[in-house]
Amino acid sequence: MGIFQKLFGSKEKRLKAEKYKIGMEKTRRGSLSSLKDVLKQSKKIDEALYDKLEEIFIMADIGVDTVVGFVSELRKEVKKQEISSPIALENIIVDKMFELYLKGEIVNTNIRYNEGGLTVLLFVGVNGTGKTTSIGKLAHKLRKEGKSVMMAAGDTFRAGAINQLKIWGERVGCEVVAKSEGADPSAVIFDAIKHAKEAKVDVLLCDTAGRLQNKVNLMKELDKIKRTIEREIGSSHYETYLVVDATTGQNGLSQAKIFQEVTKLSGIVLTKLDGTAKGGIVLAIRNELGIPISFVGLGEKIDDIDYFDIEDYIYGLFADFFE
Amino acid sequence: MAFENLTGRLQMALRRITGKAKLTEVDIEEMMREVRLSLLEADVNFKVVKDFTSEVKELAMGEKILKGLDPGQQVVKIVNDELVKLMGNEAVLVDFRQNGPTVIMMVGLQGAGKTTTAGKLGAYLRKNHQLKPMLIAADIYRPAAIDQLMTVGQKLDIPVFQMGIDVNPRQIVEKGLKHAKEQGYDLIIIDTAGRLHINETLMDELVDIKKISKADEILLTVDAMTGQDAVNVATAFHEALDVTGCILTKLDGDTRGGAALSIRKVTGVPIKFAGTGEKLTEIEVFHPERMASRILGMGDVLSLIEKATEEIDEDEAMSMMEKMMSGKFNFNDLLKQMKMIKRMGAFSGILKMLPGMGALANSGKVDDKQIVYIQAIIQSMTEEERKNPELLERSSSRRNRIARGSGRSTTEVNRLISMLEKQQAMMKKAANFSPEAMEKMAGGAMPSMQNPTAVSKGKGKGKGGFRLK
Ligand SMILES: Nc1nc2c(ncn2[C@@H]2O[C@H](COP(=O)(O)OP(=O)(O)OP(=O)(O)O)[C@@H](O)[C@H]2O)c(=O)[nH]1
Ligand SMILES: [Mg+2]
């Protein structure tokens, strides 16, 4: 029995994964060809089939290089296992997809809590990906898990950003530490850390202004924020998340690479999976840079965030296998 | 790696092709594979890439192409030209209403940049078209969205009409329009909330706002970093709203922006503006040509081709060519040719593209400094000597004088004289032989000699003596 049946054989598992599938289903309806159709309609495993597979993976934004590597892995496996029926490929595809993500490691994306002390979560990313919203949703989630939370309004640049976070603070029911527009973001976060420690809060979630990774000055500003946090907290209870919009194409790789250089990344928050984009670029990011995915954003409501689960994600990518 | 400079792949393919006299179908096929990969890396939609490359392949196989200068570069040029064509003409501006205010509606996904762009656009049109703008805050969903627009409006000194978040956006727009007409504003920009194209309720809201406002322009704001999904998004918005244009944001990033091509090809909607920074002045009219080379990721190769085709004055080049062909090429002409080359900048790179100069470039002895020396030598000649190169061949005292006058060695003077001779001889033959024979004669050192009849006359766009088509 393939890993694939093992995983998705149980009804419970399928229901859990349903949420991802819902987010991704519309894509398939609109997309040109679904994986299952392709496998079913192919008479044999030939170049035309491999081309089709490439197309499907590229359409999911997995990226040229990762896809090319992935398909060549598939070829090898087909040869090794002496497979000739296209439909038998489904197991191999799912298997290999897991391998691509796991890379033979145990991927642990749990927040490294500072038991009895303060844990700081910093959210970074390009403009408009969903940093502020993700902070709001995650703060709510962590609170429900029994943590006390606080937010720091580190975006002092974008018009209305501070108020946006404050509104989320009200929704969550937590304090938001803020200065005025134009203030030094490091100073805001420094104050917030101090305040959070005094108030004995468990988790401080820090917002930052959206910045394009090729803006040297803005990346320097981020470096300063990072050093401030490290000085106050150390690096073992401090996580940095890169927030990536699922509609992002190949530029996601450049984002991950450059942000990683400035602020070591704990993981990715993949947002807007409730749309029709599959966010495949995160697989390329994991494959090429080793950065895992920590959370997924599934909508704009306060509960629309979840821990990333590779099984659910792959289920979402290939849900039509199980219908 | 997708990061590595994207010219790499195509240039690999180019290298294999350069130097060949003719492009075979296999060559073009290979080139197209590289073009395809390059476009995919730029996030152009898979389907669009497929259609596009097969169209270009047809074109590249045409007879004209195979006769051209440098086959590899020609293919790049064809690809680029097609991209530009596809992307549409420059500066398709907003249609302004004569009586009553012009209404623009900003629509798009969450986080695309509508609010900032609404402000930028207002300021831009105020400045360039002397309009009196007003903004309407119709995003009641995202926390502090109205705040954001108000701040933007304040910074730009553009009034913002808002009714808080407890009023239906349809009503806000209706009231806002009425207010604007009363106050005499002639440009109204409606900032709507970001929404998913599959959210029917919210898409219906946009359809209603469109009806209520009788919007003249419905501008879809798209993040330049968007990947394959751009096609789904644009199609859905276009189907629901008959979008009139597109604005590409965040182009100041390092994305190649293939979404632009996808959207354009699939919906036919023109891209009208580009957002190029966070400052509220950073918006510009969209330039299809710049975008094309950005998507192709071959700016360097393209600018070389561009320079060769555009910076040489056509008539000048034509008469030069005629002279060369007639064998009456003298030092004055050589000097002119040098100056032409100098104008184009990077000497050695462009040299290869000039008829007759390939051998020179390949000798590896000519660099940019060399031009200065050659100039000095020619300038030390008398007018008579320049016109009649034979004078120098016969007299060593003349050669010595020139060497002294120019501060160069007699060897260099002699080399220049024999270079001119060689060119004359080559040109004479060129006038009588086929390009293939020429190629052979030059031992492949001359990339390809253009048949004089292939040099097209006429000014205007794409002028240049060395046309690639
Ligand atoms: N559909 C959907 N929308 C989301 C999700 N996450 C965020 N958004 C929306 O995306 C838009 C931008 O989100 P923000 O949280 O303001 O993004 P940001 O990264 O903080 O933006 P800047 O601070 O401007 O760089 C808002 O309209 C959010 O409601 C998600 O998971 N799904
Ligand atoms: Mg924000």
Side-chain angles (χ1 to χ4, degrees):
Chain A
M1 190 166 80
I3 189 166
F4 156 102
Q5 276 96 351
K6 242 185 276 166
L7 279 171
F8 302 122
S10 94
K11 194 162 177 212
E12 190 193 340
K13 180 80 209 168
R14 293 230 292 263
L15 279 176
K16 179 167 177 279
E18 205 64 10
K19 202 171 180 187
Y20 277 52
K21 195 190 101 183
I22 289 164
M24 298 177 152
E25 193 167 37
K26 298 122 195 164
T27 323
R28 271 176 290 108
R29 214 185 291 141
S31 81
L32 307 153
S33 42
S34 81
L35 192 51
K36 192 181 196 175
D37 289 345
V38 166
L39 294 182
K40 263 200 199 150
Q41 282 159 15
S42 301
K43 297 215 168 54
K44 53 180 194 293
I45 301 178
D46 55 8
E47 280 314 299
L49 176 58
Y50 284 123
D51 280 355
K52 267 272 176 338
L53 291 177
E54 261 183 36
E55 173 177 346
I56 290 173
F57 301 139
I58 283 179
M59 291 286 263
D61 284 316
I62 295 173
V64 177
D65 290 318
T66 301
V67 168
V68 168
F70 184 76
V71 171
S72 89
E73 282 292 304
L74 283 185
R75 282 175 202 267
K76 271 191 223 149
E77 206 57 36
V78 165
K79 233 180 175 173
K80 205 171 102 193
Q81 297 190 22
E82 294 175 4
I83 283 165
S84 60
S85 132
I87 203 75
L89 266 176
E90 61 179 21
N91 267 329
I92 301 178
I93 291 172
V94 173
D95 260 9
K96 288 279 154 197
M97 215 32 110
F98 273 104
E99 253 175 54
L100 178 79
Y101 184 77
L102 297 173
K103 296 172 157 283
E105 294 165 17
I106 297 165
V107 184
N108 180 356
T109 52
N110 294 343
I111 297 171
R112 295 166 303 159
Y113 286 116
N114 182 6
E115 296 304 334
L118 179 66
T119 305
V120 174
L121 310 181
L122 179 71
F123 292 76
V124 301
V126 299
N127 314 74
T129 52
K131 293 173 291 298
T132 310
T133 311
S134 297
I135 287 175
K137 293 189 286 189
L138 190 62
H140 177 69
K141 188 174 187 62
L142 298 182
R143 246 198 105 183
K144 278 199 308 189
E145 290 174 7
K147 304 281 178 202
S148 55
V149 297
M150 190 181 278
M151 299 176 186
D155 181 356
T156 57
F157 179 79
R158 207 208 64 197
I162 297 171
N163 278 340
Q164 186 185 355
L165 194 71
K166 280 186 176 164
I167 293 172
W168 274 106
E170 278 165 31
R171 289 182 183 174
V172 174
C174 74
E175 203 177 330
V176 177
V177 177
K179 289 185 189 248
S180 55
E181 209 182 298
D184 176 10
S186 299
V188 175
I189 288 171
F190 177 84
D191 278 8
I193 291 174
K194 204 168 137 229
H195 190 62
K197 278 181 176 167
E198 283 163 9
K200 300 216 181 315
V201 161
D202 298 323
V203 185
L204 174 70
L205 300 94
C206 306
D207 197 10
T208 61
R211 67 199 74 221
L212 296 178
Q213 69 274 18
N214 61 339
K215 307 272 157 130
V216 177
N217 285 339
L218 295 179
M219 294 311 277
K220 271 192 192 142
E221 178 189 273
L222 196 59
D223 177 59
K224 190 174 160 198
I225 294 175
K226 178 199 86 169
R227 283 188 282 113
T228 304
I229 300 175
E230 269 178 358
R231 203 168 50 230
E232 299 304 312
I233 294 288
S235 56
S236 46
H237 304 295
Y238 151 45
E239 312 279 9
T240 305
Y241 297 113
L242 177 69
V243 182
V244 176
D245 183 326
T247 58
T248 310
Q250 300 303 291
N251 193 252
L253 266 173
S254 158
Q255 291 169 24
K257 188 170 181 244
I258 298 174
F259 275 98
Q260 167 84 327
E261 281 166 12
V262 178
T263 54
K264 204 183 149 336
L265 299 174
S266 314
I268 305 279
V269 182
L270 180 60
T271 62
K272 309 187 193 175
L273 266 182
D274 48 327
T276 55
K278 298 202 173 205
I281 194 63
V282 295
L283 290 176
I285 291 173
R286 168 68 184 159
N287 184 46
E288 293 186 23
L289 303 167
I291 304 162
I293 305 133
S294 301
F295 301 97
V296 287
L298 299 156
E300 297 182 85
K301 290 193 294 298
I302 200 162
D303 286 312
D304 293 336
I305 195 164
D306 212 340
Y307 293 102
F308 177 76
D309 181 330
I310 183 61
E311 291 171 15
D312 293 352
Y313 182 68
I314 292 177
Y315 183 92
L317 281 175
F318 303 119
D320 51 359
F321 276 160
F322 317 107
E323 275 158 10
Chain B
M1 286 275 289
F3 293 120
E4 95 199 11
N5 208 319
L6 302 130
T7 55
R9 281 194 170 134
L10 253 165
Q11 274 169 349
M12 277 297 281
L14 280 178
R15 221 165 290 138
R16 265 175 266 134
I17 289 169
T18 309
K20 279 193 195 173
K22 269 188 180 156
L23 272 179
T24 64
E25 194 178 341
V26 179
D27 290 333
I28 297 175
E29 200 71 69
E30 198 164 325
M31 282 290 295
M32 284 306 128
R33 195 158 48 235
E34 306 301 330
V35 169
R36 198 175 140 247
L37 283 173
S38 182
L39 293 178
L40 286 174
E41 282 179 342
D43 288 323
V44 180
N45 180 271
F46 189 93
K47 186 94 194 326
V48 172
V49 171
K50 228 163 135 183
D51 292 350
F52 178 77
T53 46
S54 79
E55 283 162 24
V56 172
K57 197 183 134 191
E58 291 297 306
L59 279 172
M61 302 249 284
E63 200 190 349
K64 263 192 201 157
I65 310 309
L66 298 173
K67 275 192 201 153
L69 284 171
D70 177 329
Q73 288 166 339
Q74 274 178 50
V75 176
V76 177
K77 178 151 171 62
I78 297 165
V79 172
N80 186 60
D81 284 353
E82 281 311 296
L83 274 178
V84 174
K85 222 196 276 167
L86 232 170
M87 222 75 95
N89 299 318
E90 208 153 296
V92 208
L93 276 163
V94 169
D95 276 330
F96 301 110
R97 228 188 270 180
Q98 293 309 316
N99 44 349
T102 301
V103 180
I104 299 177
M105 220 174 126
M106 308 292 293
V107 301
L109 294 182
Q110 293 98 335
K114 288 171 295 303
T115 309
T116 313
T117 311
K120 284 180 181 179
L121 196 60
Y124 178 92
L125 295 176
R126 175 176 60 192
K127 183 167 166 231
N128 294 287
H129 298 270
Q130 288 74 46
L131 295 171
K132 200 175 155 202
M134 187 193 94
L135 301 166
I136 297 182
D139 179 358
I140 59 165
Y141 307 101
R142 210 206 63 195
I146 296 178
D147 241 32
Q148 185 186 352
L149 190 67
M150 299 267 285
T151 312
V152 168
Q154 221 162 44
K155 280 183 188 155
L156 293 168
D157 198 19
I158 298 176
V160 176
F161 180 88
Q162 60 103 5
M163 296 175 74
I165 57 170
D166 297 319
V167 181
N168 189 302
R170 296 170 182 82
Q171 209 184 330
I172 297 176
V173 169
E174 206 180 321
K175 290 259 166 67
L177 283 166
K178 195 162 158 269
H179 176 81
K181 276 176 201 157
E182 283 163 10
Q183 303 290 315
Y185 293 104
D186 53 10
L187 174 68
I188 297 158
I189 302 176
I190 307 170
D191 181 31
T192 66
R195 65 203 70 212
L196 289 172
H197 51 295
I198 50 172
N199 185 328
E200 281 170 29
T201 321
L202 288 179
M203 289 305 279
D204 284 348
E205 182 193 278
L206 288 182
V207 174
D208 289 347
I209 293 179
K210 177 187 169 177
K211 266 189 220 141
I212 293 165
S213 66
K214 300 194 185 65
D216 302 275
E217 287 275 355
I218 296 166
L219 299 177
L220 176 66
T221 311
V222 180
D223 187 322
M225 293 175 275
T226 311
Q228 298 287 318
D229 202 40
V231 164
N232 295 328
V233 174
T235 308
F237 272 96
H238 192 46
E239 271 172 12
L241 297 162
D242 265 322
V243 168
T244 61
C246 188
I247 301 185
L248 217 55
T249 62
K250 309 179 199 174
L251 266 173
D252 47 325
D254 60 4
T255 182
R256 285 171 59 203
L261 179 64
S262 306
I263 293 170
R264 175 72 203 186
K265 177 116 170 132
V266 170
T267 64
V269 169
I271 296 162
K272 298 196 170 179
F273 292 95
T276 54
E278 293 194 72
K279 281 201 220 75
L280 293 170
T281 47
E282 290 174 315
I283 185 168
E284 50 186 56
V285 168
F286 181 74
H287 299 290
E289 298 192 16
R290 277 188 225 161
M291 198 63 216
S293 63
R294 180 168 179 159
I295 291 175
L296 201 54
M298 301 208 49
D300 41 355
V301 178
L302 283 169
S303 60
L304 191 76
I305 296 169
E306 198 102 313
K307 275 185 179 163
T309 51
E310 284 182 4
E311 287 194 15
I312 306 168
D313 181 76
E314 180 152 355
D315 293 333
E316 206 179 325
M318 193 61 195
S319 72
M320 181 78 65
M321 188 79 91
E322 274 159 11
K323 276 236 178 82
M324 285 165 101
M325 292 304 172
S326 67
K328 285 192 198 113
F329 195 70
N330 62 31
F331 282 112
N332 279 329
D333 302 317
L334 187 67
L335 190 63
K336 236 192 247 165
Q337 194 181 33
M338 291 286 163
K339 280 183 182 156
M340 244 161 64
I341 291 168
K342 221 171 131 188
R343 264 211 312 278
M344 293 189 299
F347 180 50
S348 6
I350 279 175
L351 202 54
K352 296 196 196 77
M353 304 175 70
L354 288 174
M357 297 300 273
L360 209 101
N362 281 10
S363 74
K365 282 186 186 128
V366 179
D367 55 22
D368 289 358
K369 228 188 253 156
Q370 209 82 18
I371 284 198
V372 181
Y373 300 157
I374 293 176
Q375 258 186 25
I377 296 173
I378 296 178
Q379 273 155 0
S380 298
M381 296 175 189
T382 65
E383 189 51 38
E384 230 194 335
E385 287 164 346
R386 288 189 216 176
K387 276 192 199 142
N388 305 301
E390 320 79 69
L391 288 177
L392 297 183
E393 276 160 48
R394 275 186 254 125
S395 158
S396 65
S397 65
R398 281 182 195 261
R399 294 199 294 264
N400 286 335
R401 195 204 76 239
I402 292 165
R404 257 181 282 122
S406 63
R408 310 308 309 167
S409 67
T410 33
T411 327
E412 273 173 278
V413 175
N414 291 338
R415 205 189 294 145
L416 181 65
I417 292 167
S418 73
M419 184 177 107
L420 186 78
E421 260 171 52
K422 255 192 228 151
Q423 273 208 26
Q424 281 176 332
M426 223 149 51
M427 292 305 144
K428 241 183 237 162
K429 281 188 188 148
N432 303 325
F433 288 112
S434 66
E436 285 82 2
M438 280 300 305
E439 200 91 33
K440 236 191 223 152
M441 191 186 80
M446 252 186 315
S448 37
M449 177 61 61
Q450 199 172 29
N451 187 324
T453 55
V455 179
S456 61
K457 271 264 178 196
K459 292 250 171 197
K461 229 181 142 38
K463 72 183 160 112
F466 306 100
R467 300 199 103 196
L468 297 164
K469 273 199 245 192

